[in-house]
Amino acid sequence: MPSAATFRRSMAAISSSMSIKHGVSLWSPQSSFLDRHHLISSRSFQRRNFVVSASSSSFANDNREFVIVGGGNAAGYAARTFVEHNMADGKLCIVSKEAYAPYERPALTKGYLFPLDKKPARLPGFHTCVGSGGERQTPDWYNEKGIEMIYEDPVTAINAEKQTLTTSSGKLLKYGSLIIATGCTASRFPEKIGGNLPGVHYIRDVADADSLVSSLAKAQKVVVVGGGYIGMEVAAAAVGWNLDTTVIFPETHLLPRLFTPSLAQKYEELYEENGVKFLKGASIKSLVAGPDGSVAGVKLENGSTIEADLVVIGIGAKPAVSPFDNAVNLNTTVGGIEVDGLFRSNIPGIFAIGDVAAFPLKMYNRISRVEHVDHARGSAKHCVKALLTAQTHTYDYLPYFYSRVFEYEGSSRKVWWQFFGDNVGEAIQIGNFDPKIATFWLDSGKLKGVLLESGSPEEFQLLPKLARSQPSIDKVKLQSAASVEEALEIAKASL
């Protein structure tokens, strides 16, 4: 006999098809873009209708009121929000290129890469939404909630006028409201310089991480290309495998988009104490193949070659806008799909969330695109609430970044820093990385951003309050602080 969940989904599909036959009315915000002052238009919500003819069986999805394209974190948190509003069962369909239900992607370059004897993270342990303390949304969860999941079948085309999507397998999907949550794809080295050689890895999904773990188990000499988040996290994991590890990047120090030179020096020294070598300011000419055709080294522009039997490329990511780039407006400055403060694109009924959305960063009055799990969660929840409840307050995001490395068993020093706000103005560094260190960014006397390494839970909780309030702080008094704790107390008093 069919299960209760199967019976409920069957009834929902029958109910859905009956409603669609007579025309389904959906409430969806009418899109309007920001003017040059980044103010949200106050245009009212408009009612949209779509009508599917009796030939509705030609569509491959039973759940057609809401369709999410993309199976990452943003999709998972959006699904949870639909469930919280009782608007998922028989109504929501998620179309993903991956074989897995949405998961907390940061784990892939952190716990997932731990050596096999140090309790590495594995699915189903980190399915969305455990990263924020929520329920673990396994495939069974989606099934129980009546959410239709289409795996390993990415969308390849959209007809915005007919409100249909086509997948790579040829499925034709119908939607009433569409949420684009396709995230990013890893930036790759060109094939002509060895970007696709065996032994060259990129990390974006579980399959990538599985392949890398397999290679780490056999490798001896690892070269990590890139001095950003991916580079730092992968290098720390390689240390846990006791591998000869070299990090190559063209900048003068690690994580230049955030770290000051003096702050980066502290982290570089820690990595070097763990045996990691750095090649700064280096340009790569090509990746070199060995006799067996696999990668054997990295050739630099200066003519030297760094030996490697494993190369990990972490040079950034690109928003995955195809196949929607001809249907919605793209932002040519920050990339991604341009949306307003409710995540509405220029096409009524089409939204974009997470990494792929170019949205108004309200508190700093600029358009931004943020590749971070915190924004994926927040934008998903805000978008779905706006869609379902007609909330009109705009997204007010506070930039937040963090990293956690060397957390495996046997590590001599676990590293965990958090940053909130904007790293503009003058940077004031307090502490000596023993283990704490903090950096405060002051602009015109106001605190704009703050970074803290190895803080207590109470200290970390203070950071977003400081960054959002942007209090005036006595620079001389802050500089004279004898410890990180004292500096934070000075900043706290300014609130």
Side-chain angles (χ1 to χ4, degrees):
M1 292 184 64
S3 66
T6 302
F7 178 76
R8 186 176 69 251
R9 289 201 313 279
S10 299
M11 294 303 295
I14 294 171
S15 175
S16 176
S17 63
M18 289 175 64
S19 299
I20 290 171
K21 184 176 180 181
H22 296 92
V24 176
S25 297
L26 299 176
W27 284 92
S28 176
Q30 169 65 36
S31 296
S32 60
F33 272 95
L34 312 176
D35 64 16
R36 59 184 176 181
H37 301 296
H38 305 307
L39 297 176
I40 302 297
S41 166
S42 61
R43 294 175 65 181
S44 63
F45 285 61
Q46 289 189 1
R47 185 173 180 170
R48 301 182 67 236
N49 298 286
F50 76 84
V51 178
V52 181
S53 67
S55 61
S56 61
S57 59
S58 62
F59 298 111
N61 58 321
D62 294 323
N63 299 4
R64 299 169 192 162
E65 288 193 34
F66 309 106
V67 173
I68 299 173
V69 178
N73 239 334
Y77 280 83
R80 181 173 75 171
T81 311
F82 275 108
V83 169
E84 289 170 348
H85 287 82
N86 298 313
M87 290 295 284
D89 196 351
K91 299 178 175 69
L92 175 62
C93 174
I94 298 178
V95 190
S96 175
K97 69 178 181 180
E98 291 202 52
Y100 304 94
Y103 51 86
E104 303 285 348
R105 201 170 297 272
L108 297 180
T109 53
K110 299 179 178 67
Y112 206 94
L113 299 184
F114 288 177
L116 302 181
D117 63 341
K118 300 187 187 301
K119 301 177 182 178
R122 289 292 181 268
L123 289 174
F126 57 98
H127 277 297
T128 304
C129 295
V130 295
S132 63
E135 185 179 6
R136 181 178 288 111
Q137 297 171 197
T138 63
D140 286 343
W141 182 90
Y142 292 90
N143 190 41
E144 292 165 2
K145 302 302 182 183
I147 299 171
E148 184 175 3
M149 298 293 296
I150 299 177
Y151 295 107
E152 297 184 278
D153 200 5
V155 169
T156 55
I158 179 174
N159 187 321
E161 184 177 347
K162 294 183 178 179
Q163 295 171 239
T164 59
L165 303 166
T166 304
T167 70
S168 63
S169 70
K171 290 185 177 72
L172 185 64
L173 310 178
K174 185 70 177 176
Y175 68 84
S177 294
L178 172 67
I179 298 177
I180 302 170
T182 44
C184 288
T185 58
S187 296
R188 304 175 69 92
F189 269 18
E191 183 176 1
K192 64 181 180 181
I193 67 167
N196 293 339
L197 287 175
V200 177
H201 294 263
Y202 306 84
I203 308 179
R204 201 66 204 177
D205 55 33
V206 167
D208 294 337
D210 281 339
S211 177
L212 178 55
V213 167
S214 177
S215 293
L216 285 168
K218 298 176 290 187
Q220 293 181 326
K221 294 186 176 183
V222 178
V223 167
V224 180
V225 180
Y229 295 96
I230 300 296
M232 291 182 69
E233 292 173 0
V234 171
V239 168
W241 291 82
N242 297 315
L243 302 178
D244 182 318
T245 305
T246 302
V247 182
I248 302 175
F249 49 89
E251 297 86 5
T252 57
H253 61 82
L254 281 176
L255 205 63
R257 286 190 295 174
L258 177 60
F259 287 175
T260 62
S262 59
L263 182 61
Q265 182 182 352
K266 298 294 184 181
Y267 287 95
E268 290 168 11
E269 289 171 353
L270 174 65
Y271 275 73
E272 288 168 342
E273 290 169 5
N274 280 275
V276 176
K277 298 180 285 291
F278 291 107
L279 279 178
K280 309 175 194 176
S283 297
I284 294 173
K285 185 174 184 178
S286 65
L287 305 181
V288 181
D292 64 352
S294 298
V295 69
V298 178
K299 187 173 184 179
L300 305 180
E301 287 288 356
N302 65 11
S304 63
T305 298
I306 311 301
E307 291 184 6
D309 50 18
L310 169 60
V311 174
V312 183
I313 310 293
I315 55 173
K318 300 176 182 177
V321 295
S322 179
F324 308 103
D325 47 0
N326 291 323
V328 294
N329 283 348
L330 302 184
N331 186 287
T332 57
T333 302
V334 301
I337 297 169
E338 192 159 334
V339 295
D340 66 10
L342 299 178
F343 296 97
R344 303 175 295 191
S345 77
N346 62 308
I347 303 298
I350 298 182
F351 305 76
I353 58 176
D355 294 3
V356 78
F359 67 98
L361 190 55
K362 186 176 180 179
M363 66 182 299
Y364 300 127
N365 195 34
R366 64 175 184 252
I367 300 296
S368 293
R369 195 177 58 77
V370 176
E371 297 172 13
H372 195 268
V373 63
D374 184 60
H375 167 62
R377 296 166 180 163
S379 61
K381 292 185 281 189
H382 196 96
C383 173
V384 175
K385 286 180 181 178
L387 173 60
L388 299 181
T389 69
Q391 75 173 10
T392 56
H393 71 274
T394 56
Y395 188 58
D396 191 9
Y397 181 67
L398 173 65
Y400 162 56
F401 297 97
Y402 76 95
S403 187
R404 298 167 65 169
V405 293
F406 296 111
E407 287 193 304
Y408 40 78
E409 292 179 3
S411 171
S412 59
R413 165 87 149 81
K414 294 178 173 60
V415 170
W416 185 13
W417 59 262
Q418 293 187 30
F419 166 84
F420 287 88
D422 205 11
N423 58 329
V424 296
E426 180 181 0
I428 297 173
Q429 184 173 301
I430 306 295
N432 198 34
F433 209 69
D434 55 356
K436 292 181 182 179
I437 193 168
T439 301
F440 302 83
W441 281 264
L442 301 184
D443 192 24
S444 300
K446 291 184 177 295
L447 179 68
K448 292 294 186 178
V450 57
L451 179 145
L452 175 63
E453 164 66 43
S454 299
S456 67
E458 294 76 20
E459 289 169 337
F460 279 140
Q461 289 168 13
L462 175 63
L463 303 189
K465 298 175 184 177
L466 291 170
R468 188 170 287 281
S469 298
Q470 300 183 47
S472 295
I473 292 184
D474 187 325
K475 172 184 166 182
V476 176
K477 190 174 182 181
L478 183 65
Q479 288 175 319
S480 65
S483 66
V484 170
E485 289 83 358
E486 183 181 342
L488 290 172
E489 284 299 321
I490 292 170
K492 182 178 180 180
S494 68
L495 292 172

